[in-house]
Amino acid sequence: MWRAHLEVAKLLDYQLSRELQPHNLAINDYEILVVLSEAPDHRMRMTDLATATLQSKSRLSHQITRMENAGLVLRQECPGDRRGLYAHLTEQGWETMQRVAPDHVRSVRAHFIDRFTPEQLDAIYEALAPVAEHLRGLRGRS
């Protein structure tokens, strides 16, 4: 079961990444667009974005630089915190998200969701939700 899980996770990530390439997006770019699109005012503190996307601050900083160069996001200073920065979704980033999301959802459905019956999906969720909760509880601990 463990090996099947690892293989499915890697193969699914590979396929979804492949299908985002025509949109000039990496899977991490898409994840950041999603998180920012759901955030209030389409912006989030960089430290919170790093936590939300399970990236180091350094890795996220490089990722945001690439996305800034592509016009998808902007860094903005945090009022009252000279060291803090926001990542803000640009209009182009929002339009990209709206354009790409339907294709990505179709891909997720075709390569994962639609491979299961509704009963299997419920069982998978029931099995994985406690594991996710446990792992979320461990985040931030040394």
Side-chain angles (χ1 to χ4, degrees), residues 83-115:
R83 293 185 309 156
L85 290 173
Y86 284 111
H88 187 267
L89 190 63
T90 63
E91 187 63 33
Q92 181 180 338
W94 175 244
E95 290 170 2
T96 298
M97 179 68 204
Q98 291 181 305
R99 186 180 69 253
V100 174
D103 290 342
H104 183 71
V105 168
R106 273 191 292 279
S107 293
V108 170
R109 290 196 67 80
H111 303 306
F112 189 75
I113 301 295
D114 293 345
R115 301 283 161 217

Side-chain angles (χ1 to χ4, degrees), residues 15-35:
Q15 187 62 37
L16 296 176
S17 294
R18 225 173 124 236
E19 292 180 16
L20 285 169
Q21 286 175 351
H23 301 286
N24 295 316
L25 292 174
I27 194 84
N28 287 340
D29 297 333
Y30 184 79
E31 181 183 17
I32 289 168
L33 292 177
V34 169
V35 171

